[in-house]
Amino acid sequence: MKKILTIFILLKVMSSTAQSNTNLPQTLKLPEKWEFRQAHTEKWYPTEIPVSIHTALQKNGLIEDPFWRDNEAKYQWIEKEDWQFQTTFDVPQNVFEKKHIELIFKNLDTYAHVFLNDSLVLETDNMFRTWRTDVKHFLKPTGNKIHIYFESPIAKTTPDWTALGYELPGGQRVMTRKAQFHYGWDWGPRFVGCGILKTPELLGWDDFLLEDIYVVPQEVSQEIASMAIRIRYRSDIEGDVEFVNKFNKRKTIEQRKLEIGVREDSMSFQIPNPELWYCNGMGEPKLYDFTFEVIKNYKVIATKQLRVGIKKIELITEKDKDGESFYFKLNGRRVFMKGANYIPINIFQDKVTEKDYARLLDASRDANMNMLRVWGGGIYEDDIFYKMCDERGILVWQDFMYACAMYPGGGNFLKNCSREANEQIERLRGYTCMALFCGNNENNEAWNHWGWQMSFNEDQRNRLWKDYTTLYNDLLGNFVANDGAGIPYWESSPKYGRGNPKSLKEGDAHYWGVWHDAEPFSMYNKKVPRFMSEYGFQSFPDWRTIESFTEPADRELESKVMLAHQKHPRGNALIAEYMDRDYRKPNNFKDFVYVSQLLQAEGMRTGIEAHRRNKPYCMGTLYWQLNDVWPVASWAGIDNFGRWKALHYFAKESFKPVAALPIIEDDIIKVYGVNDKIPFIKAKLQVRLLDFDGTVISQEILPEIKLHPDSSRVIWQATVKTFLKNRKPQDVVLETVLTSIDNSEIYSRRLLYLLPPRDLKLPKPHVKISVNQVNDGYAISLETNKLAKNIYLTTAQDGFFSDNFFDMPPGEKRTVLFKTETILDNLAGAFQVRTLTDTF
């Protein structure tokens, strides 16, 4: 009886709560279960949304895994077909009785005709926009049917593409406002599909709807932050209301008079002694929780929860003796940006989970990154991405979705682009992580330096450049200036192409002399720009990742299947060419894969550390690229299973906020002390020259070094000849260890070799490991009798190694955590160790 009474009381409370909220808008998500078919066929198949056509086909066994072997080529027919999706649903009373009921789609990909109960209610042509239409008069309480007919993106755009009379650089993809990477890239497959990438919903409301709201700092000091909440609403009524803002057990109330129509308004408030939001490595990413309410006649008619940090971001581009600066200030402090270029997590966005976002952004934070560049050929990311960046202190450089192409002008196209931009600016400006809106990726550089203009006559060139300036300067630039909440705007990345000598003296740079031009990694030390926003080098993914899409016979460098997962036409040849310069020839393809990762990691470390040493001339390094959209040989540091390559482990070390960075310049060993933090750092530096048996040949200890805030300078140097003491460079390694004065904290530790690995006389080490179970997984303790270069730990189990690909001199012990939820039965045989000497 007591149990029944408890349930009755609970139901009564729920009923009372529902009644008290009847003034508020009500949302109904449409069902997850749908069905689909190829247009003009009979049979329907079940599916669940979010969904893309390729995943729907795969789950029904109509196609194999598109990533398996060379299946990509087999499924190009899908892009040429039309597809249909449908479902049925009921509308609960609390929604059905509302005066307005809107059907809302986000990320509808792309050319969709939406029918509700056999009436055409919506037509869409942009996957980056939110589509909404009032469907009150089309709905019934039960048995509603929604039917979506997707036209082939290829068939849809062919007439306009043909009517141009010339071919725009970038190909037919430029005619669509659809993710450009769907059409293939030099790291990604071509899967041009369609789909319902977010769950559609019905929004019911009566007299008042809060359409948009965001919090923006007005003036910020250590003593007080003057803030504003800005809103846009739709109202069918007039009358007096209260705007109420609650935060930190404080409440601000302002009286307002509603007006009929679409209106904008704001309210101001102050936060005494504010805790400012800082990016990773500079401080805490403090976020405040706000509750905003609109109250009429003592009833809440609108409410919104907000989580926002207080920050001021500035892009400083000022003429100086060297050219023109390019750096960011956060809360008045100059910040050296460390990070990577981010592309979508999967080519099929419906497969991406919140866990995937958390894993990738945790990896970025843990690698000491403070900025990611959301690249312009992908997507404007899901809200959860920006929320997680807010929480982790990762600033976001946000490209608009235009990349490596010239796009058409014309009223309809520009109108579509304008609405897209307005919607995305409104959505993103409220996130604290936002640091920059950028008009496009490489379109300016390509037009001026890639020979594109040669394909057009003078009239065409003038028209295309006018279309360019209209979109990126007139439209996007003004939209951000007027509505971007103070977030800076940059027309195109890079400012100049590498064919222009100004590219190293002004603005941001994309440097591809290394890789595309086969220049040596040492060029990174010479080609240092003001801000490096893109550069990179390829490697192969983890061996287990290769196993996921191949059969054993496929696992050869030039096999048909491996070439299908290498999208750069010269990719394998370039990796092999660079590898031959620095490494001995690997025994087999599996060793080649491992060494390719070492090659990539060493090359990128050269670039990262060159940029950091040249601070403040250079104030940022964002390498290409953080992640993959499928299993592939690419520039990524993390493959599409989330497995860290050697690059990401190396970046974690090279991005440490306080570090000693050694280099040999003109036969002089120099150690640069770099401090990205604000306070002075007092540190101790130990420099040792060791042979591969661990014998100390030379040593010097600087007991106290002052590292100035936000600085880089030489803190120790010596000639190579002096420090070698008649030893041969192929037999020794230089070790630099930077610690706190009392040795309680190791800021950084680096081994620097005087020759490339192929010229070193590396011994065959015996690496001893022991494994113990701990709370988060397993602690792997390692010792070696001789120098072990690039220790690579592997296992068949799913999990994460806290460190890998590292060098280890004899005489030291190191413990690596393998984080996993799996219980291992055979600890002695669970982990394998490989070193560089095992590959030749």
Side-chain angles (χ1 to χ4, degrees), residues 269-368:
F269 63 99
Q270 293 183 326
I271 299 179
N273 305 311
E275 296 180 65
L276 303 185
W277 184 95
Y278 282 101
C279 61
N280 188 28
M282 283 192 72
E284 292 300 313
K286 169 65 179 178
L287 296 172
Y288 285 84
D289 292 306
F290 301 94
T291 300
F292 178 79
E293 296 175 338
V294 180
I295 299 176
K296 182 174 175 58
N297 297 330
Y298 306 105
K299 293 181 179 178
V300 178
I301 62 173
T303 184
K304 180 71 174 178
Q305 306 286 331
L306 300 166
R307 197 154 192 251
V308 181
I310 302 171
K311 81 161 196 317
K312 180 181 181 182
I313 190 75
E314 301 168 86
L315 174 62
I316 308 300
T317 56
E318 297 175 338
K319 296 294 183 183
D320 57 25
K321 63 181 179 61
D322 299 307
E324 185 176 279
S325 67
F326 186 104
Y327 66 91
F328 292 89
K329 273 188 176 180
L330 178 61
N331 302 327
R333 296 174 177 175
R334 186 176 61 187
V335 185
F336 187 95
M337 295 303 173
K338 299 174 290 190
N341 287 259
Y342 167 93
I343 62 175
I345 293 177
N346 196 302
I347 190 138
F348 304 123
Q349 187 65 21
D350 54 297
K351 290 187 174 182
V352 181
T353 67
E354 189 169 324
K355 185 177 179 181
D356 294 325
Y357 284 114
R359 179 176 60 189
L360 194 60
L361 293 174
D362 284 346
S364 302
R365 176 199 58 202
D366 295 345
N368 299 301

Side-chain angles (χ1 to χ4, degrees), residues 77-82 111 149-162 172 175-176 183 190 192:
W77 62 271
I78 295 170
E79 69 181 34
K80 299 178 178 68
E81 301 297 326
D82 296 349
Y111 297 103
Y149 187 103
F150 285 100
E151 290 187 76
S152 157
I154 306 304
K156 180 68 175 179
T157 57
T158 293
D160 289 340
W161 176 248
T162 303
Q172 193 169 335
M175 309 304 292
T176 71
Y183 293 79
R190 180 183 175 103
V192 184

Side-chain angles (χ1 to χ4, degrees), residues 514-515 518-522 524 535-540 557 566 570-586 591-608 634-637 645-648 650 756-758 789-790 805 807 836 839:
V514 173
W515 182 260
E519 293 177 355
F521 292 134
S522 60
Y524 283 136
Y535 63 109
F537 193 88
Q538 273 199 2
S539 73
F540 283 82
L557 181 62
Q566 164 58 276
R570 296 165 54 226
N572 289 355
L574 281 168
I575 293 172
E577 179 181 340
Y578 276 87
M579 191 180 294
D580 188 56
R581 297 175 190 176
D582 289 346
Y583 290 87
R584 300 184 194 182
K585 185 176 181 179
D591 288 340
F592 185 93
V593 168
Y594 160 58
V595 177
S596 80
Q597 290 198 23
L598 303 179
L599 179 70
Q600 177 194 39
E602 289 288 0
M604 290 298 93
R605 175 158 65 185
T606 302
I608 290 169
S634 80
W635 296 265
K645 298 187 192 179
L647 166 55
H648 203 77
F650 278 41
R758 66 169 295 144
K789 183 152 181 54
N790 302 123
F805 301 95
D807 296 354
L836 182 60
T839 67

